[in-house]
Coordinates of all heavy atoms in Angstrom, one line a residue:
M2 N 11.7 65.9 125.5 CA 11.6 66.2 124.1 C 11.3 67.7 123.8 O 11.8 68.3 122.9 CB 10.6 65.4 123.4 CG 10.5 65.6 121.9 SD 9.6 64.3 121.1 CE 8.8 65.2 119.9
I3 N 10.5 68.3 124.7 CA 10.1 69.7 124.5 C 11.3 70.6 124.7 O 11.5 71.6 123.9 CB 8.9 70.1 125.5 CG1 7.7 69.3 125.2 CG2 8.7 71.6 125.5 CD1 6.9 69.8 124.1
P4 N 12.2 70.4 125.7 CA 13.4 71.3 125.8 C 14.2 71.2 124.6 O 14.8 72.2 124.1 CB 14.1 70.7 127.0 CG 13.0 70.1 127.9 CD 12.1 69.5 126.9
A5 N 14.3 70.1 123.9 CA 15.1 70.0 122.7 C 14.5 70.8 121.6 O 15.1 71.4 120.8 CB 15.3 68.5 122.3
L6 N 13.1 70.7 121.5 CA 12.4 71.5 120.5 C 12.5 73.0 120.7 O 12.7 73.7 119.8 CB 10.9 71.1 120.4 CG 10.6 69.7 119.8 CD1 9.1 69.4 120.0 CD2 10.9 69.7 118.4
T7 N 12.5 73.3 122.0 CA 12.6 74.7 122.3 C 14.0 75.3 121.9 O 14.2 76.3 121.4 CB 12.4 74.9 123.8 OG1 11.1 74.4 124.2 CG2 12.5 76.4 124.2
T8 N 15.0 74.5 122.2 CA 16.4 74.9 121.8 C 16.5 74.9 120.3 O 17.2 75.9 119.8 CB 17.4 73.9 122.4 OG1 17.2 73.8 123.8 CG2 18.8 74.3 122.1
A9 N 16.0 74.0 119.6 CA 16.0 74.0 118.2 C 15.3 75.2 117.6 O 15.8 75.8 116.6 CB 15.4 72.7 117.6
L10 N 14.1 75.5 118.2 CA 13.4 76.7 117.7 C 14.1 78.0 117.9 O 14.1 78.9 117.1 CB 12.0 76.7 118.3 CG 11.0 77.8 117.8 CD1 10.8 77.7 116.3 CD2 9.7 77.6 118.5
T11 N 14.8 78.1 119.1 CA 15.6 79.3 119.4 C 16.7 79.4 118.4 O 17.0 80.5 117.9 CB 16.1 79.2 120.8 OG1 15.0 79.1 121.7 CG2 16.8 80.5 121.2
S12 N 17.4 78.3 118.1 CA 18.5 78.3 117.1 C 17.9 78.7 115.7 O 18.5 79.5 115.0 CB 19.2 77.0 117.1 OG 19.7 76.7 118.3
A13 N 16.8 78.1 115.4 CA 16.2 78.4 114.1 C 15.8 79.9 114.0 O 15.8 80.5 112.9 CB 15.0 77.5 113.8
A14 N 15.4 80.5 115.1 CA 15.0 81.9 115.1 C 16.2 82.8 114.8 O 16.1 83.7 114.0 CB 14.4 82.2 116.5
V15 N 17.3 82.4 115.4 CA 18.5 83.2 115.1 C 18.9 83.1 113.6 O 19.3 84.0 112.9 CB 19.7 82.8 116.1 CG1 21.0 83.5 115.7 CG2 19.3 83.2 117.5
V16 N 18.9 81.8 113.1 CA 19.3 81.6 111.7 C 18.3 82.2 110.8 O 18.7 82.9 109.8 CB 19.3 80.0 111.5 CG1 19.5 79.7 110.0 CG2 20.5 79.4 112.3
A17 N 17.0 82.1 111.0 CA 16.0 82.7 110.1 C 16.1 84.3 110.1 O 16.0 84.9 109.1 CB 14.6 82.3 110.6
A18 N 16.4 84.8 111.3 CA 16.6 86.3 111.4 C 17.8 86.7 110.6 O 17.8 87.7 109.9 CB 16.6 86.8 112.8
G19 N 18.8 85.9 110.7 CA 20.1 86.2 109.9 C 19.8 86.1 108.4 O 20.3 86.9 107.6
V20 N 19.0 85.1 108.0 CA 18.7 85.0 106.6 C 17.9 86.1 106.1 O 18.1 86.7 105.0 CB 18.0 83.6 106.3 CG1 17.4 83.5 104.9 CG2 19.0 82.5 106.5
V21 N 16.9 86.5 106.9 CA 16.1 87.7 106.5 C 16.9 88.9 106.4 O 16.7 89.8 105.5 CB 14.9 87.8 107.5 CG1 14.1 89.1 107.2 CG2 13.9 86.7 107.3
L22 N 17.8 89.1 107.3 CA 18.7 90.3 107.3 C 19.6 90.3 106.1 O 19.7 91.4 105.5 CB 19.5 90.3 108.6 CG 20.5 91.5 108.8 CD1 19.7 92.8 108.8 CD2 21.4 91.3 110.0
L23 N 20.1 89.2 105.8 CA 21.0 89.1 104.6 C 20.3 89.2 103.3 O 20.8 89.9 102.3 CB 21.9 87.8 104.6 CG 22.9 87.7 105.8 CD1 23.5 86.4 105.8 CD2 23.9 88.8 105.7
T24 N 19.1 88.7 103.2 CA 18.4 88.7 101.9 C 17.6 90.0 101.7 O 17.5 90.5 100.6 CB 17.5 87.5 101.7 OG1 16.6 87.4 102.8 CG2 18.3 86.2 101.7
G25 N 17.0 90.5 102.8 CA 16.2 91.6 102.7 C 16.9 93.0 102.9 O 16.5 94.0 102.3
G26 N 18.1 92.9 103.6 CA 18.9 94.1 103.7 C 18.4 95.1 104.8 O 19.0 96.1 105.0
S27 N 17.3 94.8 105.4 CA 16.7 95.7 106.4 C 16.7 94.9 107.7 O 16.3 93.7 107.8 CB 15.3 96.2 106.1 OG 14.8 97.0 107.1
W28 N 17.0 95.6 108.8 CA 17.1 94.9 110.1 C 15.7 94.8 110.8 O 15.5 94.0 111.6 CB 18.0 95.6 111.1 CG 17.7 97.0 111.3 CD1 18.1 98.1 110.6 CD2 17.0 97.5 112.4 NE1 17.7 99.2 111.2 CE2 17.0 98.9 112.3 CE3 16.3 96.9 113.5 CZ2 16.3 99.7 113.2 CZ3 15.6 97.7 114.4 CH2 15.6 99.1 114.2
R29 N 14.7 95.6 110.4 CA 13.4 95.6 111.0 C 12.7 94.3 110.8 O 12.1 93.7 111.7 CB 12.6 96.8 110.6 CG 13.0 98.1 111.3 CD 12.2 99.2 110.8 NE 12.8 100.5 111.1 CZ 12.5 101.2 112.1 NH1 11.5 100.8 113.0 NH2 13.1 102.3 112.4
P30 N 12.6 93.8 109.5 CA 11.9 92.5 109.3 C 12.6 91.4 110.0 O 12.0 90.4 110.5 CB 11.9 92.3 107.8 CG 12.1 93.7 107.2 CD 12.9 94.5 108.2
A31 N 14.0 91.5 110.0 CA 14.8 90.4 110.7 C 14.5 90.4 112.2 O 14.3 89.3 112.8 CB 16.2 90.6 110.4
L32 N 14.3 91.6 112.8 CA 14.0 91.6 114.2 C 12.6 91.1 114.4 O 12.4 90.4 115.4 CB 14.1 93.1 114.7 CG 13.9 93.3 116.2 CD1 14.9 92.5 117.0 CD2 13.9 94.7 116.5
R33 N 11.7 91.4 113.5 CA 10.3 90.9 113.7 C 10.3 89.4 113.6 O 9.6 88.8 114.5 CB 9.5 91.5 112.6 CG 8.0 91.2 112.6 CD 7.3 91.9 113.7 NE 5.9 91.6 113.6 CZ 5.0 92.4 114.1 NH1 5.3 93.5 114.7 NH2 3.7 92.1 114.0
V34 N 11.0 88.8 112.7 CA 11.1 87.3 112.6 C 11.7 86.8 113.9 O 11.2 85.8 114.5 CB 11.9 86.9 111.4 CG1 12.2 85.4 111.4 CG2 11.1 87.2 110.1
L35 N 12.8 87.4 114.4 CA 13.4 86.9 115.6 C 12.5 86.9 116.8 O 12.4 86.0 117.5 CB 14.7 87.7 115.8 CG 15.5 87.3 117.1 CD1 16.1 85.9 116.9 CD2 16.5 88.3 117.4
L36 N 11.8 88.1 117.0 CA 10.9 88.2 118.1 C 9.7 87.2 118.0 O 9.3 86.7 119.0 CB 10.4 89.6 118.2 CG 11.5 90.7 118.6 CD1 10.9 92.1 118.5 CD2 12.1 90.4 120.0
D37 N 9.2 87.0 116.8 CA 8.1 86.1 116.7 C 8.5 84.7 117.0 O 7.7 84.0 117.7 CB 7.5 86.2 115.3 CG 6.6 87.4 115.1 OD1 6.3 88.1 116.1 OD2 6.3 87.8 113.9
L38 N 9.6 84.3 116.5 CA 10.0 82.9 116.7 C 10.5 82.7 118.2 O 10.3 81.6 118.7 CB 11.1 82.5 115.8 CG 10.6 82.3 114.3 CD1 11.8 82.0 113.4 CD2 9.6 81.2 114.2
L39 N 11.1 83.7 118.8 CA 11.4 83.6 120.2 C 10.1 83.5 121.1 O 10.1 82.8 122.1 CB 12.3 84.7 120.7 CG 13.7 84.7 120.2 CD1 14.5 85.9 120.7 CD2 14.4 83.4 120.6
T40 N 9.1 84.2 120.7 CA 7.8 84.1 121.4 C 7.2 82.7 121.2 O 6.7 82.1 122.2 CB 6.8 85.1 120.8 OG1 7.3 86.4 120.9 CG2 5.5 85.0 121.5
A41 N 7.4 82.1 120.0 CA 6.9 80.7 119.8 C 7.7 79.8 120.7 O 7.1 78.8 121.3 CB 7.0 80.4 118.4
A42 N 9.0 80.0 120.8 CA 9.8 79.1 121.7 C 9.4 79.3 123.2 O 9.4 78.3 123.9 CB 11.3 79.5 121.5
G43 N 9.1 80.5 123.6 CA 8.7 80.7 125.0 C 7.4 80.0 125.2 O 7.2 79.4 126.3
L44 N 6.4 80.1 124.3 CA 5.1 79.4 124.5 C 5.3 77.9 124.5 O 4.6 77.2 125.2 CB 4.2 79.9 123.4 CG 3.7 81.4 123.6 CD1 2.9 81.8 122.4 CD2 3.0 81.6 124.9
L45 N 6.2 77.4 123.6 CA 6.4 76.0 123.6 C 7.0 75.5 125.0 O 6.7 74.5 125.5 CB 7.4 75.6 122.5 CG 7.7 74.2 122.2 CD1 6.4 73.4 121.8 CD2 8.7 74.0 121.1
R46 N 8.0 76.3 125.5 CA 8.5 76.0 126.8 C 7.5 76.0 127.9 O 7.5 75.2 128.8 CB 9.6 77.0 127.1 CG 10.4 76.7 128.4 CD 11.5 77.7 128.7 NE 12.4 77.7 127.6 CZ 12.7 78.9 126.9 NH1 12.1 80.0 127.2 NH2 13.6 78.8 125.9
L47 N 6.5 77.0 127.8 CA 5.5 77.1 128.8 C 4.6 75.8 128.7 O 4.1 75.4 129.7 CB 4.7 78.3 128.5 CG 3.5 78.6 129.4 CD1 3.9 78.8 130.8 CD2 2.7 79.8 128.9
S48 N 4.3 75.3 127.5 CA 3.4 74.2 127.4 C 4.0 72.9 128.1 O 3.3 72.0 128.5 CB 3.1 73.9 125.9 OG 4.3 73.4 125.3
A49 N 5.3 72.9 128.2 CA 6.0 71.7 128.8 C 5.9 71.7 130.3 O 5.6 70.7 130.9 CB 7.4 71.6 128.3
S50 N 6.2 72.8 130.9 CA 6.4 72.8 132.4 C 5.2 73.4 133.1 O 4.9 72.9 134.2 CB 7.6 73.6 132.7 OG 7.5 75.0 132.3
Q51 N 4.5 74.4 132.6 CA 3.3 74.9 133.2 C 3.5 75.4 134.6 O 2.6 75.3 135.4 CB 2.1 73.9 133.1 CG 1.8 73.5 131.7 CD 0.7 72.5 131.7 OE1 0.3 72.0 132.7 NE2 0.3 72.1 130.5
G52 N 4.6 76.0 134.9 CA 4.9 76.6 136.2 C 4.7 78.1 136.1 O 4.6 78.7 135.1
W53 N 4.5 78.7 137.3 CA 4.3 80.1 137.4 C 5.5 80.9 136.8 O 5.3 82.0 136.2 CB 4.0 80.6 138.8 CG 2.6 80.2 139.2 CD1 2.2 79.2 140.0 CD2 1.4 80.9 138.7 NE1 0.8 79.2 140.1 CE2 0.3 80.2 139.3 CE3 1.1 81.9 137.9 CZ2 -1.0 80.6 139.1 CZ3 -0.2 82.3 137.6 CH2 -1.2 81.6 138.3
T54 N 6.7 80.5 137.1 CA 7.9 81.2 136.6 C 7.9 81.2 135.1 O 8.3 82.1 134.5 CB 9.2 80.6 137.2 OG1 9.2 79.2 136.9 CG2 9.2 80.8 138.7
D55 N 7.6 80.0 134.5 CA 7.6 79.9 133.1 C 6.5 80.8 132.5 O 6.6 81.4 131.4 CB 7.4 78.5 132.6 CG 8.6 77.7 133.0 OD1 9.8 78.2 132.9 OD2 8.5 76.5 133.4
L56 N 5.3 80.9 133.1 CA 4.3 81.7 132.7 C 4.7 83.2 132.7 O 4.4 83.9 131.8 CB 3.0 81.5 133.5 CG 1.8 82.4 133.2 CD1 1.3 82.1 131.8 CD2 0.7 82.2 134.2
V57 N 5.4 83.6 133.8 CA 5.8 85.0 133.9 C 6.9 85.3 132.8 O 6.9 86.3 132.2 CB 6.4 85.3 135.3 CG1 7.1 86.6 135.4 CG2 5.3 85.2 136.3
A58 N 7.8 84.3 132.6 CA 8.8 84.5 131.5 C 8.2 84.6 130.2 O 8.6 85.5 129.4 CB 9.7 83.3 131.6
A59 N 7.2 83.8 129.8 CA 6.5 83.9 128.5 C 5.8 85.2 128.4 O 5.8 85.9 127.4 CB 5.5 82.7 128.4
A60 N 5.1 85.7 129.5 CA 4.4 87.0 129.5 C 5.4 88.1 129.3 O 5.2 89.1 128.6 CB 3.6 87.2 130.7
A61 N 6.6 88.0 129.9 CA 7.6 89.0 129.8 C 8.2 89.1 128.4 O 8.4 90.2 127.8 CB 8.7 88.8 130.8
I62 N 8.3 87.9 127.7 CA 8.8 87.9 126.4 C 7.8 88.5 125.4 O 8.1 89.3 124.6 CB 9.1 86.4 125.9 CG1 10.3 85.9 126.6 CG2 9.3 86.3 124.4 CD1 10.6 84.4 126.5
I63 N 6.5 88.2 125.6 CA 5.5 88.8 124.8 C 5.4 90.3 125.0 O 5.3 91.1 124.0 CB 4.1 88.1 125.0 CG1 4.2 86.7 124.5 CG2 3.0 88.8 124.4 CD1 3.0 85.8 124.9
L64 N 5.5 90.7 126.2 CA 5.4 92.2 126.6 C 6.6 92.9 126.0 O 6.5 94.0 125.4 CB 5.3 92.4 128.1 CG 5.3 93.8 128.5 CD1 4.0 94.5 128.1 CD2 5.4 93.9 130.0
L65 N 7.8 92.3 126.1 CA 9.0 92.9 125.5 C 8.9 93.0 124.0 O 9.2 94.0 123.4 CB 10.2 92.1 125.9 CG 11.5 92.6 125.4 CD1 11.9 93.9 126.0 CD2 12.6 91.6 125.7
R66 N 8.4 92.0 123.4 CA 8.2 92.0 121.9 C 7.3 93.1 121.5 O 7.6 93.8 120.6 CB 7.7 90.6 121.5 CG 7.4 90.5 120.0 CD 6.7 89.2 119.7 NE 6.0 89.2 118.5 CZ 4.8 89.5 118.3 NH1 4.0 89.8 119.3 NH2 4.2 89.6 117.1
R67 N 6.2 93.2 122.2 CA 5.2 94.2 121.8 C 5.7 95.7 122.0 O 5.5 96.5 121.2 CB 3.9 94.0 122.5 CG 3.3 92.7 122.1 CD 1.8 92.5 122.3 NE 1.0 93.6 122.1 CZ 0.1 93.7 121.1 NH1 -0.1 92.7 120.3 NH2 -0.7 94.7 121.0
L68 N 6.3 95.9 123.2 CA 6.9 97.2 123.5 C 8.0 97.6 122.5 O 8.1 98.7 122.0 CB 7.4 97.2 124.9 CG 6.3 97.2 126.0 CD1 7.0 97.2 127.4 CD2 5.5 98.5 125.9
L69 N 8.9 96.6 122.2 CA 10.0 96.9 121.3 C 9.5 97.2 119.9 O 9.9 98.1 119.3 CB 10.9 95.7 121.3 CG 12.2 95.8 120.5 CD1 13.0 97.0 121.0 CD2 13.0 94.5 120.5
W70 N 8.5 96.4 119.5 CA 8.0 96.7 118.1 C 7.2 98.0 118.0 O 7.3 98.7 117.0 CB 7.1 95.5 117.7 CG 6.9 95.6 116.2 CD1 5.7 95.9 115.6 CD2 7.9 95.4 115.2 NE1 5.9 95.9 114.2 CE2 7.2 95.6 113.9 CE3 9.2 95.1 115.1 CZ2 7.9 95.5 112.7 CZ3 9.9 95.0 113.9 CH2 9.2 95.2 112.7
A71 N 6.5 98.3 119.1 CA 5.8 99.6 119.1 C 6.8 100.8 119.1 O 6.5 101.8 118.4 CB 4.9 99.7 120.3
A72 N 7.9 100.6 119.8 CA 8.9 101.7 119.8 C 9.5 101.8 118.5 O 9.8 102.9 118.0 CB 9.9 101.4 120.9
L73 N 9.8 100.7 117.8 CA 10.4 100.8 116.5 C 9.5 101.3 115.4 O 9.9 102.1 114.6 CB 10.9 99.4 116.1 CG 12.1 98.9 116.9 CD1 12.4 97.4 116.5 CD2 13.3 99.7 116.7
T74 N 8.2 101.0 115.5 CA 7.3 101.5 114.5 C 7.0 103.0 114.7 O 6.8 103.8 113.8 CB 6.0 100.7 114.4 OG1 5.4 100.7 115.7 CG2 6.3 99.3 113.9
A75 N 7.0 103.4 116.0 CA 6.8 104.8 116.3 C 7.9 105.7 115.8 O 7.8 106.8 115.3 CB 6.5 105.0 117.8
D76 N 9.1 105.1 115.9 CA 10.3 105.8 115.5 C 10.3 106.0 114.0 O 10.7 107.0 113.4 CB 11.6 105.0 115.9 CG 12.9 105.7 115.5 OD1 12.9 106.9 115.6 OD2 13.8 105.0 115.1
A77 N 9.8 104.9 113.2 CA 9.8 105.0 111.8 C 8.8 106.1 111.3 O 9.1 106.8 110.3 CB 9.4 103.6 111.2
T78 N 7.7 106.2 111.9 CA 6.7 107.2 111.5 C 7.1 108.6 111.9 O 6.8 109.6 111.2 CB 5.3 106.9 112.1 OG1 5.4 106.9 113.5 CG2 4.8 105.6 111.6
A79 N 7.9 108.7 112.9 CA 8.4 110.1 113.3 C 9.4 110.6 112.4 O 9.6 111.8 112.3 CB 8.9 110.0 114.8
R80 N 10.1 109.8 111.6 CA 11.1 110.2 110.8 C 10.7 110.5 109.4 O 11.4 110.8 108.5 CB 12.2 109.1 110.7 CG 13.0 109.0 112.0 CD 14.2 108.1 111.8 NE 13.7 106.7 111.8 CZ 14.1 105.8 111.0 NH1 15.0 106.0 110.2 NH2 13.6 104.6 111.1
L81 N 9.4 110.4 109.1 CA 8.9 110.8 107.8 C 9.1 112.3 107.6 O 8.8 113.1 108.4 CB 7.4 110.4 107.7 CG 7.1 108.9 107.7 CD1 5.6 108.7 107.6 CD2 7.7 108.2 106.5
S82 N 9.5 112.6 106.4 CA 9.7 114.1 106.1 C 8.4 114.8 105.8 O 7.5 114.2 105.3 CB 10.7 114.2 104.9 OG 10.1 113.6 103.8
P83 N 8.4 116.1 106.1 CA 7.1 116.8 105.9 C 7.0 117.1 104.4 O 8.0 116.9 103.6 CB 7.3 118.1 106.6 CG 8.8 118.3 106.8 CD 9.3 116.9 106.8
A84 N 5.9 117.6 104.0 CA 5.6 117.9 102.6 C 6.6 119.1 102.2 O 7.0 119.8 103.0 CB 4.2 118.3 102.3
P85 N 6.9 119.2 100.9 CA 7.8 120.3 100.5 C 7.2 121.7 100.9 O 6.0 121.9 100.8 CB 7.8 120.2 98.9 CG 7.4 118.8 98.6 CD 6.5 118.4 99.8
G86 N 8.1 122.5 101.4 CA 7.7 123.8 101.8 C 7.1 123.9 103.2 O 6.7 124.9 103.7
G87 N 7.1 122.8 103.9 CA 6.6 122.7 105.3 C 5.1 122.8 105.4 O 4.6 122.9 106.5
Q88 N 4.4 122.7 104.3 CA 3.0 122.8 104.3 C 2.4 121.4 104.3 O 3.0 120.4 104.0 CB 2.4 123.5 103.1 CG 3.0 124.9 102.9 CD 2.5 125.9 104.0 OE1 1.4 125.7 104.4 NE2 3.4 126.7 104.4
K89 N 1.1 121.3 104.7 CA 0.4 120.0 104.6 C 0.1 119.7 103.2 O 0.0 120.6 102.4 CB -0.9 120.1 105.4 CG -0.6 120.2 106.9 CD -1.9 119.9 107.7 CE -1.5 119.9 109.2 NZ -2.5 119.3 110.0
D90 N 0.1 118.5 102.9 CA -0.1 118.0 101.5 C -1.6 118.1 101.2 O -2.4 117.2 101.4 CB 0.4 116.6 101.4 CG 0.6 116.2 99.9 OD1 0.4 117.0 99.1 OD2 1.0 115.0 99.7
H91 N -2.0 119.1 100.5 CA -3.4 119.3 100.1 C -3.6 119.3 98.6 O -4.6 119.8 98.1 CB -3.9 120.7 100.7 CG -4.0 120.7 102.2 ND1 -4.9 119.9 102.9 CD2 -3.3 121.4 103.1 CE1 -4.8 120.2 104.2 NE2 -3.8 121.0 104.3
H92 N -2.7 118.8 97.8 CA -2.9 118.9 96.4 C -3.7 117.7 95.8 O -3.7 117.6 94.6 CB -1.5 119.0 95.7 CG -0.6 117.9 96.0 ND1 0.3 117.9 97.1 CD2 -0.3 116.8 95.3 CE1 1.0 116.8 97.0 NE2 0.6 116.1 95.9
L93 N -4.3 116.9 96.6 CA -5.2 115.9 96.1 C -6.7 116.4 96.2 O -7.2 116.4 97.3 CB -5.1 114.6 96.8 CG -3.7 113.9 96.5 CD1 -3.7 112.6 97.4 CD2 -3.6 113.5 95.1
P94 N -7.3 116.8 95.1 CA -8.7 117.2 95.3 C -9.7 116.1 95.6 O -9.6 115.0 94.9 CB -9.0 117.8 93.9 CG -8.1 117.1 93.0 CD -6.9 116.8 93.8
L95 N -10.4 116.2 96.6 CA -11.4 115.2 97.0 C -12.8 115.7 96.8 O -13.1 116.9 97.0 CB -11.2 114.8 98.5 CG -9.8 114.2 98.8 CD1 -9.7 114.0 100.3 CD2 -9.6 112.9 98.1
P96 N -13.7 114.8 96.3 CA -15.1 115.3 96.1 C -15.7 115.6 97.5 O -15.6 114.8 98.4 CB -15.8 114.1 95.4 CG -14.9 113.0 95.6 CD -13.5 113.5 95.9
V97 N -16.5 116.7 97.5 CA -17.1 117.1 98.8 C -18.6 117.4 98.5 O -18.9 118.1 97.6 CB -16.4 118.4 99.4 CG1 -17.1 118.8 100.6 CG2 -14.9 118.1 99.6
G98 N -19.4 116.8 99.3 CA -20.8 117.2 99.3 C -21.5 117.1 98.0 O -22.0 118.2 97.5
G99 N -21.6 116.0 97.4 CA -22.4 115.9 96.1 C -21.6 116.0 94.9 O -22.1 115.9 93.8
E100 N -20.3 116.4 95.0 CA -19.5 116.5 93.7 C -19.1 115.1 93.3 O -19.0 114.1 94.1 CB -18.2 117.3 94.1 CG -18.5 118.7 94.4 CD -17.2 119.4 94.8 OE1 -16.1 118.9 94.5 OE2 -17.2 120.5 95.3
N101 N -18.9 114.9 92.0 CA -18.5 113.7 91.4 C -17.0 113.5 91.4 O -16.3 114.5 91.0 CB -19.1 113.5 90.0 CG -20.6 113.3 90.0 OD1 -21.1 112.8 91.0 ND2 -21.2 113.7 89.0
G102 N -16.5 112.4 91.7 CA -15.0 112.1 91.6 C -14.7 111.5 90.3 O -15.6 111.5 89.4
K103 N -13.5 111.0 90.1 CA -13.1 110.4 88.9 C -13.9 109.2 88.5 O -14.1 108.9 87.4 CB -11.6 110.0 88.9 CG -10.7 111.2 88.9 CD -9.3 110.8 88.8 CE -8.3 112.0 88.7 NZ -6.9 111.6 88.7
N104 N -14.4 108.4 89.5 CA -15.1 107.2 89.2 C -16.6 107.5 89.1 O -17.4 106.6 89.1 CB -14.8 106.1 90.3 CG -15.2 106.6 91.7 OD1 -15.7 107.7 91.8 ND2 -14.9 105.7 92.6
R105 N -17.0 108.8 89.1 CA -18.4 109.2 88.9 C -19.3 108.9 90.1 O -20.5 108.8 90.0 CB -19.0 108.6 87.6 CG -18.2 109.0 86.4 CD -18.9 110.0 85.6 NE -18.1 110.3 84.4 CZ -18.0 111.5 83.9 NH1 -18.6 112.5 84.5 NH2 -17.3 111.7 82.9
R106 N -18.7 108.5 91.2 CA -19.5 108.3 92.4 C -19.7 109.6 93.1 O -18.9 110.5 93.1 CB -18.8 107.3 93.4 CG -18.7 105.9 92.9 CD -18.2 105.0 93.9 NE -18.2 103.7 93.5 CZ -17.7 102.7 94.1 NH1 -17.2 102.9 95.3 NH2 -17.8 101.5 93.7
T107 N -20.8 109.8 93.8 CA -21.1 111.0 94.4 C -20.7 110.9 95.9 O -21.1 109.9 96.6 CB -22.6 111.3 94.4 OG1 -23.0 111.3 93.0 CG2 -23.0 112.6 95.0
A108 N -20.0 111.9 96.4 CA -19.6 111.9 97.8 C -20.8 112.3 98.6 O -21.5 113.2 98.3 CB -18.4 112.8 98.0
T109 N -20.9 111.7 99.8 CA -22.0 112.1 100.7 C -21.5 112.9 101.9 O -20.4 112.9 102.2 CB -22.7 110.9 101.2 OG1 -21.8 110.0 101.8 CG2 -23.4 110.1 100.1

């Protein structure tokens, strides 16, 4: 019964990722859904057989998921454009050392 559930969950992962891709328009959330559900399928498979090869396979899936997601999020933050004029964005005045902000709280 567990192998059938694992196959069904893997199929559902592909379908759910496709639905997220079509409705959301962005591939990153779809990939996140796919990787999360494939991780769940790997853990479900691990619970059925409990062998060393299945444990290594589940660990590899989780490691791949984490590394892939870290690489994708690092790529997204690297593509942010700098502030106009190439300067750092310093046009938000912050209260410093006893000055009052807009909410009348004193900065320490």
